[in-house]
Amino acid sequence: MIHYHGGVIGKGQAHEFFRNRHALVSLQGREDLPVIAEVSISFIFDNGAFSVWKSGKKMNIEKYYKWIEDWHRHPGFDWCLIPDVIEGSEKENDLEIENWPFGTIGVPVWHLNESIERLVRLASEWPRIAFGSTSGMEPGSHKFWGRMAVVMDAICSEGQPVCKLHGLRMMNPRIFQYLPLSSADSAGAVLNSFKNWERFGIYVPKKQSQRANIIADRIEAHNSAPIWNPSQ
């Protein structure tokens, strides 16, 4: 599984943290991209829909398209998320896919509150899809696992998914070790390097990038499940 780390840590420490890692860069936080493009193994683009949804603002799709146009030929660029409307209708999200101009470098998002019919359709039409959580089904919650059991049963044949799967905000070993994800992302390593120092006991590294590296190393020590096994 590919572990994509997100978050802005700052140019002074971005080199140390993102070197030889995979990165997710959001339209809402691009400050570290020049460094990431030089030192990371690869990177993906996030349209920032989650941040926009939380703030109540509207996504600037034209700006996102221009950003992709400028960067998608970079050798380290893997793929990017197709704009989505969190807690929007399936019709709204299908329209975003219909308007998408960049082909299969884009990855559509299926939200956990959407229909299984839409999930099956996207999984049959695209080489990769991303799972997006919604209110009441946050990753790791009881409702999340109940929904994921239905999801995996719908798109796995003998435990193997019919396309590659990406978990948005699902890069927690307690989650991805039980799901056959090809990749997942989280800003947890960067965000938790600012806080939650109790995880280090009395041995707290002084530099933020060192703390972020330790957290990321602990995450990357784990891999996703090779197949979906509902009995796990």
Side-chain angles (χ1 to χ4, degrees), residues 7-231:
V8 177
I9 197 169
K11 293 180 180 178
Q13 301 189 76
H15 179 277
E16 182 174 342
F17 176 66
F18 286 108
R19 182 179 65 243
N20 294 328
R21 295 194 189 279
H22 299 274
L24 175 145
V25 186
S26 172
L27 179 65
Q28 310 302 320
R30 296 170 287 167
E31 296 91 324
D32 291 340
L33 179 55
V35 175
I36 289 171
E38 291 294 329
V39 304
S40 69
I41 298 174
S42 70
F43 56 91
I44 60 176
F45 279 180
D46 176 16
N47 55 57
F50 183 74
S51 298
V52 170
W53 173 63
K54 289 187 68 177
S55 68
K57 298 179 181 179
K58 187 177 181 179
M59 185 190 306
N60 188 332
I61 294 180
E62 291 74 20
K63 185 177 181 179
Y64 184 54
Y65 284 0
K66 178 62 168 60
W67 188 41
I68 295 169
E69 183 63 40
D70 291 342
W71 280 93
H72 77 279
R73 293 184 181 85
H74 188 285
F77 182 95
D78 278 347
W79 49 266
C80 52
L81 290 168
I82 296 174
D84 61 306
V85 184
I86 299 176
E87 298 196 345
S89 68
E90 294 188 8
K91 184 176 181 180
E92 288 177 299
N93 281 296
D94 281 342
L95 184 60
E96 295 291 355
I97 295 174
E98 290 175 16
N99 293 335
W100 176 249
F102 297 104
T104 55
I105 68 166
V107 173
V109 178
W110 180 82
H111 305 92
L112 297 186
N113 64 333
E114 294 176 345
S115 69
I116 295 299
E117 289 75 18
R118 182 172 192 264
L119 167 69
V120 171
R121 171 166 54 83
L122 292 177
S124 66
E125 294 175 349
W126 291 83
R128 183 190 307 266
I129 62 172
F131 293 135
S133 57
T134 55
S135 297
M137 284 187 275
E138 288 78 10
S141 66
H142 179 72
K143 287 186 176 180
F144 168 85
W145 283 115
R147 185 58 168 166
M148 290 306 293
V150 177
V151 166
M152 290 297 157
D153 286 344
I155 60 170
C156 290
S157 174
E158 297 182 352
Q160 298 179 321
V162 298
C163 68
K164 291 186 179 298
L165 307 175
H166 177 82
L168 294 167
R169 300 192 303 124
M170 295 182 190
M171 201 163 65
N172 181 334
R174 295 179 181 178
I175 295 174
F176 67 70
Q177 286 188 107
Y178 301 99
L179 298 172
L181 300 179
S182 175
S183 56
D185 70 73
S186 171
V190 169
L191 294 178
N192 287 318
S193 65
F194 288 100
K195 56 185 180 179
N196 298 335
W197 289 11
E198 64 273 9
R199 71 178 62 222
F200 299 103
I202 62 173
Y203 308 103
V204 181
K206 292 183 178 180
K207 291 183 64 178
Q208 183 192 348
S209 57
Q210 292 175 328
R211 299 192 297 271
N213 270 323
I214 290 171
I215 297 169
D217 284 343
R218 290 173 178 173
I219 293 171
E220 292 177 10
H222 304 276
N223 203 354
S224 62
I227 62 170
W228 165 243
N229 182 355
S231 65

